[in-house]
């Protein structure tokens, strides 16, 4: 049955109404935090600060820039591997991220920086909003090419909300440490996306099988995304760590893990192919698994050699996932995972959560020092009696909570997105830019001439 994919009134209406809602909500609730407000001079004097360089902006903004590039350039270009869906990959990633950061500033603000009826924002709020949207970009990878822009906006609305709730439970109620978001960002985002794509299962997707592959230049564009993500991942995992040793340690651990991951990915990609040739899909994705897997434990005393071990294991697991698990998920469980987020984010995210729990449980004052031990796990106030083994148990509980939130939330949101009102394309027209984008004539395919059958397609 033909589907109405015309977005002329639906997309503008949703975008404009939701942006109007953002303007109203920001006007009512959002204000500059102390370090961004014009009263900073008074604040600086009250805090006995002598220089503007002590403003948090100068500590956090370089990391914010790196994370921002990862969200909008890294994730966007990583998904351009589909030969006829480059516009959709970059453009829709841009759309959902731009809306998502606004909604995230509100949702996370209500949970974490709500004071006297107002949400006070600073540069750290911007980083956390990008983190939140990162989980949406991950979920987008599972349904890439199969959904309309309105469906993506609806998913973003609900996922940002659920992410904020899950993040509050883990960080504030369970008091887990998850600096790089192995649990809150990757595990939650990936299993949420996988659940959504399972609910949206298309039995006739084989009709567009010829468009699910890549061509030489599309893989090259995707590799640009890989390199941006790989280079900036140390900033991602260390962006909101405490200034000083924790942030320094996070960057080093991530750096080592990523480097090791590349070698094991290359090794197993070659080993698993009959003629020993490298598969670009593995290199684009599995080489990043080390950054995901070290996320939770990045600011802990994992040690450089421990990071190398974690990165090596995650590269192997991710590559095996692309070779064996992805076909199994589609054929047996009807999970059509376009980008293979199960291999890049879900499994490495679980590894990261487990490594974090073990590293926390094994922590001692001999390794951290007395003051460093308390600071690393924030064992102060009501948590001052918490022991490493108990902390490890709460870290493990964080994995379970993230999975439950992802499965339950993904099932509900998937059910909403399945309603026949969002303008998604028919199975035979999936993975085609021409459905929602004006495409240059020299790139047009048969589907672009559906209203002019006499016009031949470009070879």
């Amino acid at each position: 049955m033909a589907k109405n994919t015309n977005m002329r009134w639906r997309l503008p209406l949703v975008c404009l109404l939701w942006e109007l809602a953002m303007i109203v909500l920001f006007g009512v609730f959002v204000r500059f935090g102390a370090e961004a407000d014009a009263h900073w001079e008074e604040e600086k004097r009250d805090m006995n600060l002598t220089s503007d360089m002590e403003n948090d902006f100068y500590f956090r903004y370089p990391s914010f820039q790196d994370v921002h590039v990862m969200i909008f350039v890294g994730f966007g270009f990583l998904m351009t591997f589909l030969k006829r869906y480059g516009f959709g990959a970059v453009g829709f990633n841009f759309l959902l991220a731009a809306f998502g950061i606004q909604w995230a500033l509100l949702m996370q603000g209500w949970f974490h920086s709500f004071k006297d009826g107002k949400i006070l924002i600073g540069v750290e709020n911007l980083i956390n909003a990008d983190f939140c949207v990162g989980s949406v970009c991950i979920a987008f990878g599972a349904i890439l090419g199969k959904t309309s822009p309105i469906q993506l906006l609806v998913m973003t609305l609900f996922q940002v909300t659920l992410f904020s709730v899950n993040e509050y439970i883990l960080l504030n109620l369970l008091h887990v440490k998850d600096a790089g978001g192995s649990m809150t960002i990757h595990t939650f985002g990936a299993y949420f996306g996988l659940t959504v794509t399972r609910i949206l299962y298309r039995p006739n997707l084989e009709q567009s099988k010829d468009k699910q592959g890549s061509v030489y230049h599309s893989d090259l564009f995707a590799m640009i995304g890989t390199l941006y993500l790989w280079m900036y991942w140390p900033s991602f995992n260390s962006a909101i760590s405490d200034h000083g040793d924790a942030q320094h340690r996070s960057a080093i651990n991530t750096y080592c893990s990523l480097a090791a991951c590349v070698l094991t990915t290359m090794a197993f990609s070659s080993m698993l192919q009959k003629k020993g040739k490298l598969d670009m899909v593995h290199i684009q994705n599995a080489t990043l698994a080390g950054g995901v897997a070290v996320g939770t434990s990045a600011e802990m005393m994992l040690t450089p050699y421990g990071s190398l071990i974690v990165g090596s294991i995650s590269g192997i697991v991710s590559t095996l996932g692309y070779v064996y698990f992805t076909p199994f998920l589609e054929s047996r469980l009807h999970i059509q995972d376009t980008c293979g987020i199960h291999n890049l984010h879900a499994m490495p995210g679980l590894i990261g959560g487990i490594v974090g729990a073990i590293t926390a449980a094994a922590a001692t004052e001999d390794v951290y020092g007395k003051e460093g031990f308390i600071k690393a796990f924030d064992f102060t106030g009501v948590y001052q009696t918490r022991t490493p083994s108990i902390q490890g148990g709460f870290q493990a509980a964080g994995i379970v909570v993230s999975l439950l939130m992802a499965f339950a939330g993904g099932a509900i949101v998937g059910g909403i997105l399945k309603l026949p009102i969002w303008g998604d394309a028919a199975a035979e027209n999936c993975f085609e830019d021409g459905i929602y984008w004006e495409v240059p004539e020299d790139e047009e395919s048969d589907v672009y001439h559906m209203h002019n059958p006499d016009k031949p397609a470009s070879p």
Side-chain angles (χ1 to χ4, degrees):
M1 184 177 69
K3 292 192 174 187
N4 180 9
T5 57
N6 191 320
M7 292 284 116
R8 186 173 184 183
W9 299 112
R10 284 183 282 188
L11 183 59
L13 183 64
V14 171
C15 287
L16 294 176
L17 284 178
W18 285 14
E19 189 54 42
L20 179 62
M22 293 299 104
I23 292 170
V24 172
L25 289 170
F26 269 64
V28 172
F29 290 107
V30 180
R31 299 292 184 270
F32 292 122
E35 293 181 273
D37 192 83
H39 293 86
W40 164 244
E41 290 300 323
E42 301 165 23
E43 185 78 14
K44 186 169 62 172
R45 186 170 58 250
D46 293 341
M47 296 174 64
N48 293 318
L49 301 178
T50 58
S51 171
D52 285 330
M53 293 302 294
E54 295 179 81
N55 190 302
D56 201 41
F57 176 86
Y58 297 101
F59 292 103
R60 300 291 187 191
Y61 192 73
S63 294
F64 163 71
Q65 286 181 303
D66 293 349
V67 173
H68 217 46
V69 169
M70 289 178 69
I71 298 301
F72 287 90
V73 179
F75 278 111
F77 275 88
L78 181 63
M79 292 184 277
T80 58
F81 67 96
L82 292 172
K83 55 187 168 186
R84 295 183 184 174
Y85 206 71
F87 287 6
V90 176
F92 291 151
N93 184 80
F94 194 10
L95 173 66
L96 67 84
F99 168 63
I101 57 177
Q102 297 176 72
W103 184 228
L105 284 171
L106 288 165
M107 283 301 306
Q108 292 178 312
W110 282 319
F111 278 114
H112 301 292
S113 58
F114 194 62
K115 183 179 180 182
D116 299 327
K118 302 297 179 185
I119 296 170
L120 304 179
I121 66 169
V123 67
E124 191 168 335
N125 298 78
L126 307 186
I127 297 172
N128 281 317
D130 275 2
F131 281 174
C132 179
V133 166
S135 77
V136 183
C137 295
I138 291 167
F140 175 41
I143 57 176
L144 181 70
K146 300 175 290 187
T147 47
S148 73
I150 297 179
Q151 283 178 304
L152 294 175
L153 287 170
V154 172
M155 184 185 79
T156 302
L157 178 72
F158 285 104
Q159 187 175 353
V160 166
T161 304
L162 292 167
F163 175 95
S164 301
V165 173
N166 184 59
E167 180 186 52
Y168 179 78
I169 293 172
L170 265 63
L171 303 187
N172 293 72
L173 301 184
L174 299 180
H175 195 65
V176 305
K177 308 300 288 185
D178 193 28
S182 293
M183 295 182 287
T184 54
I185 300 171
H186 300 284
T187 300
F188 171 77
Y191 283 105
F192 179 93
L194 291 168
T195 306
V196 169
T197 197
R198 174 61 185 88
I199 300 298
L200 298 180
Y201 173 69
R202 290 171 176 264
N204 299 319
L205 198 61
E206 283 290 325
Q207 296 176 11
S208 56
K209 188 72 173 179
D210 61 313
K211 291 169 283 190
Q212 294 182 44
S214 63
V215 290
Y216 191 86
H217 71 268
S218 67
D219 268 337
L220 199 57
F221 271 114
M223 195 64 195
I224 293 173
T226 298
L227 292 175
Y228 269 105
L229 290 168
W230 195 91
M231 289 188 300
Y232 290 140
W233 216 296
S235 293
F236 188 93
N237 282 355
S238 64
I240 58 170
S241 295
D242 290 337
H243 301 322
D245 63 290
Q247 196 166 43
H248 200 163
R249 194 162 53 244
S250 296
I252 294 172
N253 281 332
T254 307
Y255 182 96
C256 293
S257 182
L258 284 165
C261 186
V262 173
L263 271 71
T264 55
T265 297
M266 292 278 189
F268 272 75
S269 179
S270 175
M271 187 188 305
L272 296 172
Q273 303 298 317
K274 289 184 178 180
K275 295 185 179 181
K277 294 183 179 181
L278 298 170
D279 188 326
M280 199 58 166
V281 173
H282 306 159
I283 311 309
Q284 289 163 357
N285 295 279
T287 53
L288 301 171
V292 178
V294 81
T296 298
S297 58
E299 63 182 8
M300 301 179 191
M301 291 289 285
L302 182 60
T303 72
Y305 81 87
S307 301
L308 293 178
I309 294 172
V310 173
S312 298
I313 293 172
S314 61
I316 294 169
V317 170
S318 183
T319 306
L320 290 171
Y322 278 100
V323 175
Y324 299 112
F325 294 165
T326 295
F328 173 82
L329 290 176
E330 182 166 356
S331 63
R332 300 297 178 88
L333 302 182
H334 293 170
I335 296 175
Q336 297 161 326
D337 180 8
T338 306
C339 291
I341 65 168
H342 181 258
N343 313 309
L344 172 53
H345 298 282
M347 292 192 295
L350 290 176
I351 292 172
I354 293 168
V355 170
I358 295 171
T359 308
T364 64
E365 288 189 7
D366 290 338
V367 173
Y368 287 81
K370 185 174 182 180
E371 292 182 6
F373 180 72
I374 294 171
K375 181 182 177 183
F377 296 99
D378 195 19
F379 286 160
T380 58
V382 297
Y383 304 106
Q384 61 183 345
T385 59
R386 184 174 283 192
T387 64
S389 58
I390 292 176
Q391 180 65 31
F394 276 99
Q395 294 284 148
I399 304 173
V400 177
V401 172
S402 293
L403 288 171
L404 292 175
M405 288 288 291
F407 291 139
I412 294 170
V413 175
I416 294 171
L417 298 184
K418 201 173 179 67
L419 297 173
I421 60 174
W422 308 117
D424 56 311
E428 64 270 20
N429 291 331
C430 287
F431 315 109
E432 282 278 8
D433 271 335
I435 301 298
Y436 301 111
W437 297 84
E438 290 287 348
V439 179
E441 288 188 7
D442 59 346
E443 294 293 331
E444 291 183 348
S445 66
D446 291 340
V447 70
Y448 306 148
H449 308 305
M450 62 177 65
H451 301 301
N452 185 6
D454 297 324
K455 184 177 179 181
S458 300

